[in-house]
Structure formats: C-alpha cells, structure tokens
Amino acid sequence: MAEVGDVLMSVLSTIRVPKPGDRVHKDECALSFSSPESEGGLYVCMNSFLGFGSQYVDRYHARTGQRAYLHITRSRKPKEDDSNSGSGHPPKKKPTRLAIGIEGGFDVEQEQYEEDVKVVILPDRQEVTSEDLATMPDVVRERVRYFVSDSVSHALQVQQWDGEVRQESRHAADLKQLDNGVKIPPSGWRCEVCDLQENIWMNLTDGKLLCGRRYFDGSGGNNHALLHFQETGYPIAVKLGTITPDGADVYSYDEDDMVLDSKLPEHLAHFGINMMTMEKTERTMTELEIAVNQRVGEWEVIQESGTTLRPLFGSGLTGMKNLGNSCYLNSVMQVLFTVPDFQNKSVPSFTHSPHHPVPPSYVDHLGYGLLSGEYSKPAPDHGDENAASEPRGDQIGIAPRMFKALVGRGHPEFSTNRQQDAQEFLLHFINMVERNCRSASNPSEAFRFLVEERIVCQQSQKAKYTQRVDYIVQLPVPMDQATNTGEGLTTYNEAERRREEGDSSAPTVRAQIPFTACMAALSEPEILADFWSSAVQSKTTATKTTRFASFPDHLVIQIKKFTFGLDWVPKKLDVSIDVPDTLDLSALRATGQQQGEELLPEVAPPPLMTPDVEVKGILGFHGNEEDDSLYSPLLSPVLDDSTVSQLCEMGFPLEACRKAAYYTGNTGIDAAMNWIMGHMDDPDFGSPLVLPGCSSGPGTTPTESLSEEHLATIVSMGFSRDQATKALRATSNVLDRAVDWIFSHLDDLESMDVSEGGRSAAESEGGRDPPPGPRVRDGPGKYELFAFISHMGTSTMCGHYVCHIKKDQQWVIFNDQKVCASEKPPKDLGYLYFYRRVAE
C-alpha cells in the first residue's frame, strides 16, 4: 500500500480538480465509441478530463506523459424474472403519457448496471480503490475525491423526454376575472356560438364556454375559443371534461402552449366549479395526441412491427442509440454516411487519428463508428444470462453524444432533447459542413444544385433570369388531387370517429396523392401579384417558373407534409404518395434565355425612405442640393428586417444582406437571395451600402465598432488582431460565427501573421479576393431511390423517425438501435426521399 501511495503522491500535481464549466468525458471515448460498458472499460485522464477506451489509453499516455486515470467499468445486471410472464419479458403497457423513457410514456428499455471505479496509474497500471484512499493523507483524498465519488454517476442515466412538462403561465398569478355573475354547471356544456357539446373550453377571465380548434381532418371544434381570445385578449382557458382534483388541461392562447395554473382551484371556484368534486369525462390533449401517434398504418406500418424482422450486423449496419428524441439525428446521419462523399471524407481521415493525442473531428468519429462494423454487434439478451438464444434486432450500437453536442452547440433547438424536424436538421448540418469545408473537399457538394428562376412581366412580356443554390427539392402536396375522394373521404371520417370511440379495429384510410401531381404543382408557373417591373417602372403581375440549372449527384426530395391551417395551428397531412423507384427530371432542365426574348432592364426599384425625409422640408432644404450633406444621414432606407436577418443567418455579410433587401425593393427573401447569388463576385459585395448622393452608407460598421471583447477572445486563441478583425467583419461581429469562419479560412490566412504583431499586407482591402461562386456538379437528370426517412406522429415536435436504406439491393430499416432487413418498405409514407444519379 505504501508503494501505491508513493506513486499516487508522485502524480498528484498533475491531477486537476474540475472547475465549474469543465466537462469530464466519463461516458465515451474521445477516439472511438468505447464506453464504461465496453470490454476494458473507460479511462478518464485526470488532467485533460478526456475519456479513452482500453485500446487507446496507452497511446495517449505515450504521447502526453499523463499517468493518472479514473478507470470506470460497468456491467449489466440480469433482469429479474416476472412471475406473471412465462417468457421472462412482461407485456408492454400502452402509453398513458406523451413521454419517452418515463413511467407511463413510450417504452425505452432502461438497463440496470453495476459500476466499479478506481484510480489507475500508468504505465504499470497500479490501482487505487476507494478503500485504499481512506488510508491516505487528506491532501491526496481531497484531490481525487471528486473523481471517485461526485463526478461519476453510479446509475446509468437514460436520456428522457417528457412532452407533458409544462411551465407556469405568466398570466396565472395575476389573472383578472370578471365579476359578471357567471356560474358554470358541473355538466351539460355547450359552445355558446355553435352548440357543440365536445371539446369545450372555458375562458378563465369571463367564463365563456366555447369550442376548441378545428383539426386538419375537420374534427375538433370550430375555433370559437381562439377567436374569443383574438377579440378580447383574455389569455387562459381550461378544457371542461378534463378537470379532476389533480388538475386539468389549461391552455394559454397568448403563450401558445399548454401551461400550468397554480391558482386553478381559485380560478375555477370564481365560476362556481369545485375542482375537488369534478370527474374526468373527456380525453385530455395528451391522450388525444397519443391516440393519433399510435394510429394504425403509421407507427406500425412504418416500423414494420407486424412482421418478424431479421437482424443485420456488419459494416455500414450499425445502430444508433436514442439520446432522448434524437431519432431525427440518427436517421439523417445514417443516410448521409451511405453517400460516398461523406464516407470518403470521414473514414480515411479517421483511421490515422488514434495515433494523435487530440480527438479527431466528431464527424469523422461518427463516420468510423457507423461504417467500421466494430459496434454492430448483438446486444445481450438480459432475460437469458447464458445469451444462448438467437440475437434480437437491438445492437450494442453507438451513442453519438459528442456529435450531438457539437452540431447542437449554441442552437436553440438542436441543443435540446426535444424532437426536431429532420429536414431542418439536414440543412443545419449541411450548413455546418459548408462553413467548415471552404478550404478543403466538401461532401455537401453531392447535394448542391442550381435553380433557375424565370420571371416574366405580364405587362411588358420581358423576362428576368436568376440562379440560386439549393440542396433540397420541396414538393407541395395538392390535396385536391387525391384519387380517393368522395367515398374514400367518407370512410376516412368514419374511421376517425370509430377510433375516438376506442375501436382499435377501425381501418386506416388516408388521402392518396399521385406523385405526378406533386411534380406538376412544383413545375407549373407561379403568379406574382406585386412584382416590381423595371420595364414599366411600377408593380404589376408576373409569372415565375422554376427549373434545374444543374442536376446534383444525389437529390433530396421533401414531401411538404407539415403545414399550417388557417388559424396557424401546425398540422401534418396524412397522405400516401406513390413515390417512384426511378425518376427522370430531364424535362425540368433550365434552358436559359429564349430566342428573341427581351430581358428586363437592370434598374433598381425606387428606394423606400423613412419618414425622416420630412426633416428636409422642416429644415427648409427645398431645392438646395448644396445642403444635402446636412440631412443625408437622416435619409435611411426602410429595409425589411426579416429578409436581412434571414440572409445573415445563412452566413452572408451584413452589408451584402442590406444591399440585397434595398436593391430588390423589399420584395422578399427569394428576390433578395437571387440578388445575393448574382452579385457574390462583385468587388464591393461586402462593402457598406451607400445611397446615391451620400458619402457613406447608413448604418455602417467601422472597425472601431467591433467588440473589443470579441477581438480579445480570438486573439487569445493565437491569432493576430488583424485576423480577428477580418473574421468579425466577415460575420457581422458575431463571435461564434467568427471563430467558425477563421478556422475554415486557415488557408486564406496563411499569408497573415498568426502571432500577435504587425499588420499583414494580405489584410489590406485592396488585396482582398472576391468570394468564389458556387461550385456545383452536373450530369443527367435520371435517378434511382436509395433511401427515405419517415416520420410518425402529428407534428415535427413529437413522434418518431426511422429510415430505410437500400444496401446491396436489400432494403434495410434503421430504427435507432434496431437494424433489420426490411420486408415491406413503406415507400408511400416517407417524408424525405434520397435519390442518386443513374449512370448512363
């Protein structure tokens, strides 16, 4: 013991106690997906706080000289047999909560673990247990106590999501209730406008009884409770029929969410309702949501749960653990790493990284985990300690914790455990790839294509051609083109009524939309009612036709199932679309300017000015051009803040975004984006907007206005002040974007001083290279389907995603950790479809 104590004392100075904000990576290896449950356990460096699997810790020690590691091993406890179940696996209960991994919610198998923690000193692997520490001096115990106890969770925490977690309404505490003498009976409620007797909500300010919102299928209510809020501003309502002594459904129209009302008993009593005597007579909003989410034909058909699926294992067949509603991320990344560009970018670069002490790119990390096959192994059957039975579909798989933390960092949605839209995440990830691959090979080029928009002024018949970059084709769903209207729609409504009454045998009927109808809706001309025509110098009507200026190697098609009703309530269209296995888009290739066609003149629309122009008249500057300099700073253009903000979010310089809004007359994001794409090569693309007759642009951002704190932060990372200034200028003085920008432009900055010091000639504005134009691939417009992502649920904020991928002519379903051969891939119910070019 003395020898071990002496060794520990010799490395004590290298053991750092984590400070607030430090992250101890005790769940996953920095170079692989090894975890404390893996063979050999996980070694956490007690100096850098990085975790390493047993196959990498010796290399890390040899590179860094760090000797002290926290060694964590976990082993699964066998499940206790259930005496009521002969198989040892109790039947799954139907969910009663809109939640995942929580009692009453959708089932997530939670494992029980036994954990062993000790300190290991390399290279001799001398071990120090918690019992050994008890006999050591206080200075030793205090230094390592955090690691041995507080820093390590002794029960594996399963990521959970609870859709029923509600916040206290900001109106609840001081809600005004009218003394109007209204008393509500305990039953027999009707809408005071339309006499509906179901889905009745009582406004807690005036006691009005009104029906709820209309759902997309025509059921629900007639929106009278919502209309009452819009007329009066009375914010909170309670759903009658859900009131029990334990609570009720309370909705805040002002906050647009289900909320808590801590004073609900008092608020109900004001209108004569005794909460303690009420009984539930209607389904809550949660129960309605669960019923829809369990609709036969989506959850069961998409997951192919009606058949016994054959598990698959091997390279490219690795499952991904659900980290708490991360199925959208799992599905998107499984498909992306089927694309050769992402495979070739990630795996070769990763294979050398274990020899380097610094963790590799988390994208490479994820690619290796998915493609190597190293983690595509059957999960042990906990009902059989001998594990002699056939393997189940569940895999050991990988848990992409670090990857999710990276791609979600700083994002208000993707950094949470809430469900997200897979299409939005795909674009978010592509945007990250674009920003970080400007000086290297860019795998997102596989999806990038050019769209040509042809706008024809109907008054002059002159045309305008613009091009923009896109990554996804969004197909509208023309519900009026359904082939099973009439009798089919009647059957659909009848089936919905039977389900609401608890009839689980009710058939599934959904609108059947031809894929050709969706394509026709995309390709037909769009009418622009308020188009400013430079030919006639006024607003008029125009038509816009969209075509492909290039065809990408891989084409992504989104079926626009998620939309909004007239009352802005999100809804999902329940449709079946006969998406084809092969696709020929050759007829949609752009042809450019037609023979004999005249183009609209390149004339900017008249600028919109603020009311400050009236100051000119007030000050007496009538017709005196010499005095323009006195009031010209007051002549600020009215710019559409929404357009400017959206363009800035895409990574374009602020002044370029201001110009785009100005020179397109605030006609919207599409027109502004077209201007951006057509002027990216301009030498003054990012220069301040200068109005005619003004010596400097309004709202300019000189170097002096850059945040000194942001400059100091970037300089502290080893860059010069000039480089920091360049990065902040290029990203509108936003620190996070500036850091991303500077790391993705290292090649461009090589001619600048990396150490603090004098100004580099490369920083001069005169030597600044214009931004490069978009690089796209092109080829024939013939494609074959190789993957699709499906969504189950009523909105992007709830439900579940799975993906189907065609591998070696066999469709495979990836349902988080389950990877199986697909028997009946539900291609008609997909949300995102992925095609690859067919070689001719």
Side-chain angles (χ1 to χ4, degrees):
M1 181 62 233
E3 182 182 351
V4 173
D6 292 341
V7 173
L8 186 56
M9 284 293 293
S10 69
V11 299
L12 196 61
S13 61
T14 67
I15 297 176
R16 292 197 303 126
V17 176
K19 299 176 181 178
D22 286 338
R23 183 179 177 188
V24 181
H25 296 265
K26 60 183 183 295
D27 294 313
E28 185 175 296
C29 173
L31 299 175
S32 69
F33 285 93
S34 295
S35 69
E37 300 93 69
S38 302
E39 184 177 354
L42 190 72
Y43 292 81
V44 180
C45 176
M46 300 175 76
N47 181 270
S48 67
F49 311 139
L50 294 173
F52 297 93
S54 58
Q55 69 272 46
Y56 296 121
V57 67
D58 288 325
R59 294 177 183 175
Y60 182 79
H61 160 65
R63 285 273 184 169
T64 65
Q66 297 297 331
R67 300 179 60 195
Y69 296 84
L70 186 75
H71 186 216
I72 311 171
T73 58
R74 297 192 189 112
S75 57
R76 290 181 175 88
K77 291 182 180 179
K79 284 190 174 181
E80 296 181 2
D81 291 336
D82 191 323
S83 58
N84 297 324
S85 175
S87 64
H89 295 280
K92 292 184 178 180
K93 297 179 181 179
K94 290 187 176 181
T96 57
R97 291 176 61 86
L98 192 62
I100 293 176
I102 292 175
E103 179 66 28
F106 288 92
D107 183 61
V108 172
E109 196 170 358
Q110 300 192 28
E111 310 291 355
Q112 298 296 320
Y113 288 83
E114 293 179 345
E115 185 173 274
D116 180 60
V117 181
K118 65 188 68 169
V119 176
V120 172
I121 310 298
L122 295 184
D124 297 329
R125 296 185 183 266
Q126 293 166 294
E127 298 181 353
V128 183
T129 66
S130 56
E131 290 79 9
D132 295 333
L133 284 174
T135 65
M136 292 187 178
D138 292 343
V139 65
V140 178
R141 291 203 308 271
E142 287 302 313
R143 185 62 65 92
V144 300
R145 176 180 56 83
Y146 176 90
F147 290 95
V148 177
S149 56
D150 299 338
S151 68
V152 179
S153 171
H154 290 279
L156 186 63
Q157 297 298 315
V158 175
Q159 294 282 357
Q160 301 171 338
W161 171 77
D162 192 346
E164 296 183 51
V165 173
R166 298 169 183 172
Q167 302 297 320
E168 178 79 4
S169 171
R170 63 171 177 263
H171 301 288
D174 302 313
L175 183 69
K176 293 182 179 180
Q177 294 188 284
L178 304 182
D179 292 323
N180 52 11
V182 171
K183 298 298 176 184
I184 305 300
S187 61
W189 308 299
R190 292 175 180 269
C191 175
E192 298 181 21
V193 177
C194 64
D195 277 349
L196 276 180
Q197 300 180 48
E198 297 179 348
N199 195 20
I200 305 301
W201 294 75
M202 182 186 77
N203 192 286
L204 289 175
T205 296
D206 60 5
K208 284 279 188 181
L209 304 186
L210 299 163
C211 61
R213 304 194 196 210
R214 183 185 297 112
Y215 304 141
F216 71 93
D217 60 359
S219 63
N222 293 314
N223 298 322
H224 289 135
L226 172 63
L227 293 173
H228 182 63
F229 160 71
Q230 294 172 343
E231 294 170 359
T232 65
Y234 300 156
I236 309 179
V238 60
K239 185 176 182 181
L240 299 178
T242 69
I243 303 172
T244 69
D246 297 324
D249 273 357
V250 180
Y251 192 85
S252 171
Y253 289 100
D254 180 54
E255 296 159 283
D256 195 22
D257 204 355
M258 301 295 294
V259 295
L260 295 178
D261 178 3
S262 57
K263 292 188 175 182
L264 184 60
E266 174 185 330
H267 292 155
L268 292 173
H270 181 84
F271 296 107
I273 298 177
N274 184 350
M275 183 173 172
M276 303 308 295
T277 63
M278 297 296 290
E279 295 183 359
K280 182 172 171 293
T281 59
E282 281 201 33
R283 287 194 287 184
T284 64
M285 300 303 291
T286 294
E287 291 169 336
L288 289 171
E289 184 77 22
I290 291 173
V292 176
N293 279 344
Q294 290 184 303
R295 175 179 293 166
V296 175
E298 248 199 3
W299 285 81
E300 293 191 8
V301 172
I302 289 177
Q303 294 187 101
E304 303 186 58
S305 56
T307 58
T308 302
L309 300 178
R310 175 172 57 88
L312 298 176
F313 305 95
S315 176
L317 298 169
T318 303
M320 297 174 70
K321 296 180 181 178
N322 196 318
L323 304 179
N325 261 11
S326 64
C327 54
Y328 67 92
L329 179 150
N330 294 353
S331 297
V332 168
M333 299 315 298
Q334 289 282 13
V335 174
L336 287 185
F337 279 105
T338 306
V339 176
D341 293 77
F342 282 89
Q343 292 179 343
N344 297 336
K345 170 95 176 156
S346 299
V347 177
S349 62
F350 182 85
T351 54
H352 300 290
S353 61
H355 301 285
H356 195 280
V358 179
S361 159
Y362 288 153
V363 179
D364 301 340
H365 189 191
L366 181 66
Y368 180 80
L370 290 176
L371 300 174
S372 66
E374 185 176 338
Y375 307 97
S376 181
K377 300 173 183 177
D381 190 335
H382 311 306
D384 179 6
E385 291 188 29
N386 297 321
S389 59
E390 294 185 5
R392 302 174 300 165
D394 290 34
Q395 293 188 4
I396 294 175
I398 61 175
R401 295 184 183 93
M402 290 190 288
F403 176 80
K404 184 177 185 297
L406 170 72
V407 297
R409 184 178 59 191
H411 194 282
E413 291 298 332
F414 299 129
S415 61
T416 70
N417 280 341
R418 293 190 292 267
Q419 184 63 281
Q420 306 298 335
D421 185 345
Q423 180 257 2
E424 291 181 3
F425 176 75
L426 174 60
L427 288 179
H428 169 72
F429 181 70
I430 286 177
N431 183 48
M432 290 190 68
V433 173
E434 290 281 6
R435 287 160 55 188
N436 290 279
C437 291
R438 292 174 180 171
S439 301
S441 62
N442 187 345
S444 65
E445 287 181 9
F447 299 106
R448 189 191 301 158
F449 60 94
L450 285 176
V451 176
E452 179 190 271
E453 290 183 346
R454 175 176 179 260
I455 299 178
V456 178
C457 167
Q458 294 301 291
Q459 188 169 339
S460 67
Q461 290 301 306
K462 295 183 179 181
K464 177 182 180 180
Y465 289 85
T466 57
Q467 288 188 345
R468 59 179 170 84
V469 171
D470 214 332
Y471 297 88
I472 294 180
V473 176
Q474 294 183 308
L475 280 190
V477 180
M479 295 297 291
D480 58 345
Q481 299 295 312
T483 57
N484 60 335
T485 54
E487 181 181 351
L489 185 60
T490 303
T491 307
Y492 172 79
N493 292 331
E494 173 64 16
E496 288 295 295
R497 183 190 65 77
R498 286 171 57 185
R499 283 194 203 93
E500 290 182 2
E501 294 175 354
D503 185 357
S504 60
S505 64
T508 298
V509 182
R510 57 176 52 88
Q512 297 175 7
I513 312 294
F515 182 79
T516 52
C518 299
M519 291 300 298
L522 172 73
S523 58
E524 65 184 11
E526 176 186 353
I527 304 298
L528 305 179
D530 293 318
F531 175 74
W532 189 87
S533 171
S534 59
V536 299
Q537 291 290 300
S538 65
K539 288 188 175 182
T540 183
T541 302
T543 58
K544 181 175 75 173
T545 306
T546 303
R547 292 291 184 268
F548 289 90
S550 68
F551 288 117
D553 289 349
H554 293 76
L555 182 71
V556 185
I557 293 179
Q558 176 196 17
I559 304 297
K560 297 181 68 175
K561 291 186 174 184
F562 299 108
T563 182
F564 291 89
L566 296 177
D567 54 1
W568 290 100
V569 177
K571 66 179 183 179
K572 177 183 175 183
L573 304 177
D574 188 16
V575 295
S576 169
I577 300 177
D578 58 336
V579 177
D581 289 323
T582 59
L583 198 58
D584 188 351
L585 302 178
S586 303
L588 294 181
R589 182 178 283 278
T591 56
Q593 184 178 355
Q594 306 297 303
Q595 186 175 4
E597 184 178 54
E598 291 188 59
L599 298 180
L600 285 165
E602 289 286 341
V603 179
L608 298 172
M609 295 298 177
T610 65
D612 289 322
V613 297
E614 299 175 4
V615 175
K616 180 177 180 180
I618 295 173
L619 296 178
F621 301 136
H622 295 286
N624 187 353
E625 296 182 2
E626 293 180 355
D627 293 325
D628 278 357
S629 61
L630 297 175
Y631 61 82
S632 60
L634 300 175
L635 303 181
S636 301
V638 177
L639 301 179
D640 182 359
D641 290 338
S642 175
T643 298
V644 175
S645 175
Q646 289 182 64
L647 291 174
C648 284
E649 284 296 318
M650 296 177 191
F652 298 110
L654 172 62
E655 289 303 325
C657 302
R658 288 167 54 81
K659 287 181 183 178
Y662 173 73
Y663 286 114
T664 56
N666 292 325
T667 52
I669 185 65
D670 288 342
M673 176 59 78
N674 289 334
W675 188 95
I676 287 277
M677 291 304 167
H679 292 78
M680 286 183 67
D681 292 332
D682 294 354
D684 62 345
F685 178 69
S687 300
L689 168 63
V690 179
L691 299 181
C694 295
S695 58
S696 62
T700 59
T701 306
T703 304
E704 289 73 24
S705 67
L706 296 178
S707 168
E708 284 296 330
E709 183 179 352
H710 292 353
L711 285 169
T713 299
I714 298 177
V715 168
S716 70
M717 301 170 68
F719 296 97
S720 70
R721 183 179 177 87
D722 292 330
Q723 290 174 327
T725 300
K726 188 180 183 77
L728 288 169
R729 280 180 179 172
T731 56
S732 306
N733 200 28
V734 178
L735 179 60
D736 288 346
R737 288 175 53 204
V739 172
D740 287 342
W741 186 94
I742 204 167
F743 277 106
S744 62
H745 288 74
L746 291 178
D747 292 347
D748 302 333
L749 299 175
E750 282 183 355
S751 59
M752 300 180 66
D753 241 340
V754 179
S755 61
E756 294 194 44
R759 180 178 179 84
S760 166
E763 176 62 12
S764 64
E765 291 300 325
R768 183 178 179 181
D769 293 330
R775 206 170 78 181
V776 296
R777 306 171 188 174
D778 197 8
K782 296 182 179 180
Y783 295 91
E784 63 177 359
L785 182 69
F786 75 92
F788 61 95
I789 295 175
S790 307
H791 173 268
M792 296 155 279
T794 56
S795 78
T796 57
M797 295 297 101
C798 65
H800 184 56
Y801 285 98
V802 303
C803 69
H804 287 72
I805 304 175
K806 197 172 187 180
K807 291 179 177 282
D808 299 326
Q809 303 306 310
Q810 164 71 60
W811 282 100
V812 179
I813 178 173
F814 291 81
N815 187 357
D816 290 333
Q817 280 178 263
K818 290 183 172 67
V819 180
C820 301
S822 173
E823 296 293 333
K824 297 179 180 179
K827 289 181 283 189
D828 61 320
L829 300 180
Y831 173 49
L832 296 177
Y833 292 87
F834 296 78
Y835 285 83
R836 58 190 166 210
R837 195 193 317 276
V838 177
E840 292 187 334

